[in-house]
Amino acid sequence: MDALLFRTATAPSPPPMANKRPCPSSSPSPAAALAAAVAAAASSSSSSSSSAFGQIDHLFDAFLSLADSFPSSSSSSSSSSLSSSSSSSSSSSRSHSIDLSFDRLLDARTSDRDQALLIDRALRLGSAITEAARRSARKRAAKHNSVAWALPPDLTTKVFSMLDSQSLCYAAATCSLFNKCAMDPLCYTNIDLTTVVPKVNNAVVSTMIQRAGRALQSLKLGIVPGPTMSPGSSQPLVYTIRSSVDVSNFSWNDKKTRQGKESPILTRTCLSPLSADGSAAGILLRRLHLYNIERMDSASLCTALSVCCSLVDLEIVGLHVELRQLLTSVGLNCPLIERLFFESSKTGRDDSLKSPTCVELVNRCPHMTSLSLRGFKLHDCKVRTLVKGFRKLRYVDFSTSYSITGNFLRNLGSTSTGTLLEVLILRDCMHLKEMEVARFLTAVLAGDFKCLRHVDISNKEGLASEGDWYNRSYTSSVIPFKEVVEGRPDICLLADFPSEGGRFVQKCSFPYSY
Amino acid sequence: MSSSPPPSSAAASPSCPKKMIALRSSDGETFEIEEAAALQSKTLENMIDEDCAGTPIPLPNVTGKILAKVVEFCSKHAEPGVDDESLRAWDAEFVNVEQATVFDYILAANFLEIPTLLNLTCNVVADMIRGKTPDEIRKFFNIKSIFSPEEEEEVRRENHWAFE
């Protein structure tokens, strides 16, 4: 700011009266310059119409040169520099220091009212100058930026639409053009508010959904440990916040300016913006991914799903919701669904799935192509209903499931589903039987499951023996690993049994996204 | 290679081998591009349909330096039998240029309506922004803030969760 005033003061003035008005930078003192300017202004009044500067402009110009006698305008150093300048500078600059001059003017006014008036004028003039200077600085910066950043707003928005939500917020704080572009609904088509630690609350979700407007397509929310992992990996994405201490560490709480009671983390109603305004947002949503939202429960999730009639891709990991309720809700409300990925928050203890639920689901959701149910208790008969019933099913993942033996795969190879199935993942299924795997791979070898290209039956503990599942084994005499590799080279077969000392892994590219 | 038939207004089907389209940049340079490659640009596709009896298509918004690279990009992407992985690697090399050039590519891809090039180059700029704080973004692109301190505070407050 100071530099700006300085430059204005030293710029050579264009009008014809310039030769009568000395350039302030060469004048011995600002006082002389001011006097000269006043004289010039007075004598130029007759020809002011022909000059670019009027009388006031000359006065103002000279006045601004007084800024030179004021050591620094920055608040941090003003008080200290004043004291240092008053002690070390010459007497002439001391006598022209602005605040001392102002004091003298004030003292000259005898009445209280006149003094108040003077102060008021100074304040008004001061803020008017500040405003004018700031406005000009902004204009100049904008001009500079339009050269440095060559993209017009629509292309800037396009770039921003490729950013994650956090980077988008940072970009918005960069400059006003970025702020404007970052508010464009197109940047919020795919809202990704997943974080490694909890720092998003309901208000943020609501704001983002609002900004998306009619452009909303996808919403990802919750806590994901580390960089987002592809759903094809076998690592469970469930992550529990051990204690509420983790949450309260964040200085979030300091910024609760609005409602004092607003929770710093996502609560059960975080998806309520989807239902607002006649479910305008919910209807648009095609993808919804939720991870480890501690406070979410079945009721609130099902309420949210009830408005998401266009949903195509639903991924729920680590939520305290019951499988049966979830599948019922999906069946009722999401007829267009193509991909379901559920991972239980309490591995192996959710036994809620019932046969009627499976039947309903396959009837109501004919477009299902990808089904992943991980960490639940699944019985073969129910799984069979699902796998056989979804006519377009291509991707199946029942990793870390309990109870499932592999029986459901019998005689599946030549059915319509079996023909279309491309991926089968049964990692770490405790009750998966060696015999069933053998039977399955024999069928594969015989030419069933024509489209199959990826099978994963790896298990940390090996496979279950025929009699007691507690006995573990894998034997390549029973399971035709090598034959499958040779006979069906198009299939990538993963069979990693570390505890058994066995490892049969055929090299293939993994993960692939679905 | 078989000789190309003279570019005429007769039914110009893409299966016609090696038909060349002539382009002229803003600074007067002329470039030739195969029709199949040119069709990657919606703008050029429209112009070819209307056909201008073989005169070079003027592109006043694109300089010769950039147009040469755009032609290279379209030709590569029109090549048959290139697998995804090597094409991706080629793309990565293609955009491994200085920032100002990436901007030029974006503007050219936008003008010529080449979605593949536009997405590729916009992603490059997005990568440059991703993960940077506002100060780092300003420094990287040499942008000034323009915000008053109060305005910047307001913006940060609106998106406070990101700044925690």
Side-chain angles (χ1 to χ4, degrees):
Chain A
M1 203 71 68
D2 199 36
L4 200 70
L5 293 172
F6 184 80
R7 266 205 289 280
T8 318
T10 57
S13 57
M17 303 309 296
N19 52 353
K20 277 209 176 180
R21 180 179 154 275
C23 181
S25 61
S26 59
S27 74
S29 76
L34 190 53
V38 172
S43 60
S44 73
S45 56
S46 54
S47 55
S48 58
S49 54
S50 60
S51 72
F53 279 6
Q55 186 177 352
I56 303 294
D57 295 334
H58 281 297
L59 265 173
F60 193 37
D61 198 359
F63 169 68
L64 287 175
S65 70
L66 289 174
D68 299 348
S69 66
F70 194 53
S72 166
S73 63
S74 65
S75 54
S76 56
S77 56
S78 58
S79 51
S80 54
S81 58
L82 262 183
S83 52
S84 63
S85 77
S86 58
S87 60
S88 61
S89 59
S90 67
S91 59
S92 66
S93 63
R94 257 191 85 183
S95 65
H96 296 295
S97 154
I98 288 186
D99 62 324
L100 289 178
S101 171
F102 195 64
D103 283 343
R104 286 195 291 278
L105 291 178
L106 263 180
D107 290 340
R109 263 83 168 162
T110 46
S111 83
D112 215 25
R113 189 176 158 278
D114 285 340
Q115 287 186 347
L117 205 61
L118 187 69
I119 290 172
D120 177 57
R121 278 179 184 164
L123 285 171
R124 274 188 290 138
L125 188 62
S127 73
I129 294 175
T130 305
E131 254 326 292
R134 273 199 185 143
R135 207 174 43 238
S136 302
R138 275 201 292 268
K139 262 198 265 183
R140 291 177 88 239
K143 208 163 155 209
H144 164 97
N145 285 358
S146 66
V147 174
W149 179 263
L151 303 180
D154 60 331
L155 288 177
T156 306
T157 302
K158 188 169 175 68
V159 169
F160 285 3
S161 69
M162 298 174 175
L163 290 173
D164 57 284
S165 302
Q166 165 130 14
S167 296
L168 192 61
C169 293
Y170 280 169
T174 304
C175 69
S176 43
L177 169 70
F178 280 19
N179 190 27
K180 189 150 168 267
C181 293
M183 291 301 136
D184 192 294
L186 286 175
C187 298
Y188 298 91
T189 305
N190 301 305
I191 300 175
D192 184 353
L193 288 168
T194 54
T195 54
V196 176
V197 289
K199 51 179 180 168
V200 173
N201 74 345
N202 293 7
V204 178
V205 181
S206 174
T207 307
M208 296 276 162
I209 290 178
Q210 222 174 333
R211 287 180 189 168
R214 295 214 52 81
L216 182 66
Q217 280 184 19
S218 158
L219 175 63
K220 294 188 189 175
L221 203 53
I223 315 296
V224 181
T228 318
M229 290 185 266
S230 92
S233 82
S234 66
Q235 306 306 312
L237 295 169
V238 177
Y239 172 95
T240 333
I241 303 170
R242 299 277 166 221
S243 72
S244 58
V245 172
D246 297 319
V247 170
S248 61
N249 270 348
F250 300 98
S251 57
W252 244 110
N253 299 325
D254 299 341
K255 300 220 168 147
K256 280 188 290 189
T257 51
R258 292 155 294 230
Q259 304 100 30
K261 301 230 171 70
E262 197 162 310
S263 164
I265 62 167
L266 297 168
T267 70
R268 58 187 300 276
T269 53
C270 61
L271 295 177
S272 55
L274 293 174
S275 311
D277 289 332
S279 313
I283 295 172
L284 298 166
L285 205 60
R286 294 171 55 79
R287 184 187 311 138
L288 179 63
H289 289 195
L290 302 173
Y291 305 94
N292 303 301
I293 302 175
E294 272 291 312
R295 302 209 190 158
M296 180 75 70
D297 59 3
S298 292
S300 47
L301 180 55
C302 293
T303 306
L305 288 176
S306 68
V307 299
C308 298
C309 50
S310 314
L311 210 60
V312 165
D313 178 348
L314 179 63
E315 184 164 326
I316 309 280
V317 172
L319 263 60
H320 305 307
V321 296
E322 205 200 39
L323 181 61
R324 184 182 56 85
Q325 284 191 39
L326 199 44
L327 292 182
T328 306
S329 184
V330 170
L332 278 174
N333 301 300
C334 312
L336 301 177
I337 196 91
E338 292 175 22
R339 178 178 177 267
L340 273 185
F341 184 104
F342 293 161
E343 189 162 314
S344 176
S345 61
K346 21 188 201 289
T347 312
R349 281 175 283 151
D350 186 330
D351 190 16
S352 60
L353 188 60
K354 303 259 182 292
S355 277
T357 315
C358 299
V359 172
E360 288 233 347
L361 193 64
V362 302
N363 285 337
R364 291 181 193 266
C365 302
H367 303 286
M368 192 77 73
T369 58
S370 169
L371 181 66
S372 302
L373 300 173
R374 306 191 349 174
F376 299 98
K377 233 174 180 172
L378 299 177
H379 298 275
D380 285 274
C381 51
K382 296 163 192 165
V383 169
R384 194 178 171 79
T385 308
L386 291 174
V387 174
K388 248 189 111 175
F390 290 126
R391 296 302 169 88
K392 299 186 186 172
L393 201 58
R394 285 183 274 166
Y395 180 108
V396 164
D397 181 354
F398 297 134
S399 297
T400 330
S401 296
Y402 284 67
S403 303
I404 198 169
T405 65
N407 184 305
F408 75 96
L409 292 165
R410 288 196 200 186
N411 302 320
L412 200 61
S414 39
T415 63
S416 55
T417 306
T419 320
L420 287 178
L421 195 65
E422 293 177 24
V423 175
L424 177 67
I425 301 178
L426 296 167
R427 281 186 84 104
D428 293 323
C429 293
M430 278 307 122
H431 303 105
L432 184 63
K433 283 187 178 170
E434 183 187 36
M435 288 308 301
E436 298 293 352
V437 172
R439 183 170 281 152
F440 166 67
L441 286 179
T442 308
V444 167
L445 205 52
D448 284 350
F449 298 100
K450 279 201 244 303
C451 294
L452 199 59
R453 49 187 177 84
H454 186 101
V455 175
D456 187 353
I457 42 145
S458 303
N459 200 314
K460 289 195 286 281
E461 311 285 340
L463 299 173
S465 290
E466 184 55 32
D468 182 354
W469 74 270
Y470 203 72
N471 294 333
R472 316 299 296 179
S473 73
Y474 88 102
T475 37
S476 55
S477 59
V478 177
I479 304 179
F481 289 124
K482 286 213 171 53
E483 290 85 336
V484 170
V485 169
E486 280 158 31
R488 295 281 300 264
D490 47 323
I491 297 180
C492 170
L493 177 57
L494 293 180
D496 200 352
F497 308 113
S499 70
E500 300 286 324
R503 190 188 175 92
F504 192 87
V505 178
Q506 181 191 6
K507 192 166 160 53
C508 62
S509 54
F510 189 73
Y512 75 105
S513 57
Y514 209 94
Chain B
M1 288 280 119
S2 56
S3 58
S4 49
S8 66
S9 52
S13 76
S15 61
C16 187
K18 303 285 190 258
K19 175 173 177 189
M20 304 302 277
I21 311 289
L23 308 170
R24 182 177 301 129
S25 69
S26 60
D27 42 0
E29 278 185 69
T30 318
F31 298 88
E32 285 216 319
I33 184 174
E34 285 180 24
E35 185 176 13
L39 289 175
Q40 300 212 13
S41 153
K42 287 209 184 61
T43 311
L44 291 181
E45 189 183 348
N46 294 336
M47 288 179 168
I48 292 169
D49 280 347
E50 293 162 25
D51 197 272
C52 355
T55 56
I57 299 175
L59 300 172
N61 291 18
V62 192
T63 63
K65 172 177 161 229
I66 300 300
L67 188 54
K69 297 297 283 180
V70 171
V71 167
E72 196 185 318
F73 179 88
C74 293
S75 305
K76 180 73 184 182
H77 278 246
E79 253 177 47
V82 183
D83 65 291
D84 281 343
E85 220 179 294
S86 53
L87 191 61
R88 260 201 298 273
W90 189 91
D91 281 349
E93 244 332 283
F94 184 81
V95 290
N96 187 14
V97 291
E98 55 172 42
Q99 189 190 308
T101 313
V102 179
F103 280 175
D104 286 333
Y105 286 167
I106 294 180
L107 294 168
N110 185 48
F111 171 66
L112 291 169
E113 289 184 81
I114 308 171
T116 40
L117 182 57
L118 187 59
N119 283 335
L120 175 67
T121 45
C122 284
N123 238 313
V124 170
V125 180
D127 284 340
M128 290 174 186
I129 297 176
R130 200 171 292 124
K132 290 191 167 76
T133 64
D135 274 336
E136 287 164 354
I137 296 175
R138 282 188 213 120
K139 205 160 162 202
F140 189 88
F141 292 101
N142 189 20
I143 300 174
K144 299 204 196 238
S145 169
I146 306 186
F147 288 138
S148 64
E150 300 86 23
E151 281 170 338
E152 172 148 4
E153 182 54 40
E154 167 83 31
V155 173
R156 277 179 181 252
R157 217 170 352 108
E158 277 172 12
N159 298 314
H160 51 60
W161 68 277
F163 293 98
E164 287 303 319

